[in-house]
Amino acid sequence: MTIRSLAIVIPTYNEAKNVTAMVTALRALPFPDLGIFIVDDNSPDGTGALADELAAKPENRLTVIHRPGKFGLGTAYQAGFRAAIARRTEAIAQLDCDFSHPPDALIRMAELLGSYDVVVGSRYVPGGGLDKRWDIGRKLLSRWAVFYAKTILGLKVHDPTAGFKLWRRETLIGVNLNRIHSNGYVFLVEMAYITQKLGYRVCEIPITFEERQTGKSKMSMGVKIEAAWRVWQLRLRHNRLQPRDRALEP
Ligand SMILES: Nc1nc2c(ncn2[C@@H]2O[C@H](COP(=O)(O)OP(=O)(O)OP(=O)(O)O)[C@@H](O)[C@H]2O)c(=O)[nH]1
Ligand SMILES: [Mg+2]
């Protein structure tokens, strides 16, 4: 293990069926100094109250950020990242609450963070993949989204839509969250694009993206169409960024 202190940021919306198991799984990880930040958007299924109960146990080292409504994945991550950066841990992880991202992979990711600025759990490097239960339409759509974002933005990373990452604190500071404009799923692509433009060293390790174990899917057609044109906005906005534009302070 090359990192000592780690903060894990998890956005939640209607994850009442997953949140307790996720906190338990994260607490079982062998990191000596591990804090968890849950950002809940007033989930109608009561995820926020459940998270508060978990946070009441000091050994969980859990902070819950409550937002009054569903403001989207992008701003949820920003809120969580800001709280984690303020905590001054060496590394900051992001992952979904629905077990699509295997928490155990953080151990290997942490080892690699010694040599990289960010480590990505990737579906599209050899050894990685999608859950067999995904139907062909969903697989094709995911492939298409990756191809589309990579082509328009010239991205080198194999999985620019990955939501499972381990950042060095300095990298997240350097990216500068004030630069981020996306809210929905495009947030993930925006972060990948800025990371590349700023010249950070990115490592991808293969993961299998499991179908959510339980709870309802929130992917909709509107979300996908909006994402397609927002990729063009990213190009206009960040095309000229260079390594000297890294921020040095939060
Ligand atoms: N706080 C917050 N969390 C969100 C929001 N949208 C999604 N999430 C959470 O972000 C993570 C990823 O969202 P998912 O809904 O799993 O996205 P997905 O994996 O592409 O799609 P499905 O698993 O099929 O629903 C999960 O932990 C969600 O609960 C949001 O608007 N606000
Ligand atoms: Mg999911």
Side-chain angles (χ1 to χ4, degrees), residues 146-184:
V146 167
F147 172 77
Y148 182 86
K150 277 174 70 80
T151 308
I152 289 164
L153 301 176
L155 290 168
K156 287 184 275 194
V157 71
H158 295 84
D159 193 354
T161 56
F164 188 21
K165 296 183 191 175
L166 182 63
W167 303 85
R168 285 185 189 205
R169 180 173 184 269
E170 309 88 81
T171 314
L172 262 190
I173 291 171
V175 163
N176 184 0
L177 296 172
N178 297 325
R179 257 197 277 261
I180 304 292
H181 287 74
S182 318
N183 192 8

Side-chain angles (χ1 to χ4, degrees), residues 15 96 98 100 138 209 212:
E15 301 288 1
D96 293 354
D98 58 4
S100 286
R138 197 151 170 212
F209 187 89
R212 58 167 51 254

Side-chain angles (χ1 to χ4, degrees), residues 223-238:
V223 167
K224 289 166 198 157
I225 292 168
E226 188 191 337
W229 72 265
R230 291 220 180 262
V231 170
W232 287 96
Q233 277 189 331
L234 296 186
R235 185 165 130 173
L236 291 171
R237 194 174 292 135
H238 301 302

Side-chain angles (χ1 to χ4, degrees), residues 31-130:
F31 293 98
D33 178 2
L34 183 146
I36 305 171
F37 294 85
I38 285 179
V39 187
D40 185 70
D41 278 1
N42 199 12
S43 298
D45 75 349
T47 305
L50 267 176
D52 283 340
E53 277 175 33
L54 293 163
K57 297 184 183 137
E59 65 274 20
N60 278 336
R61 302 198 46 213
L62 168 63
T63 306
V64 188
I65 299 167
H66 293 279
R67 307 198 302 170
K70 191 174 188 320
F71 299 137
L73 192 71
T75 54
Y77 267 126
Q78 286 187 52
F81 285 158
R82 284 184 205 283
I85 285 170
R87 194 65 64 84
R88 311 194 74 83
T89 51
E90 246 179 301
I92 298 162
Q94 60 177 95
L95 90 166
D96 293 354
C97 195
D98 58 4
F99 287 91
S100 286
H101 302 140
D104 288 0
L106 283 169
I107 299 166
R108 177 82 188 114
M109 290 161 84
E111 284 163 11
L112 288 161
L113 201 65
S115 323
Y116 293 91
D117 298 311
V118 57
V119 182
V120 179
S122 174
R123 295 161 290 185
Y124 297 119
V125 291
L130 296 169

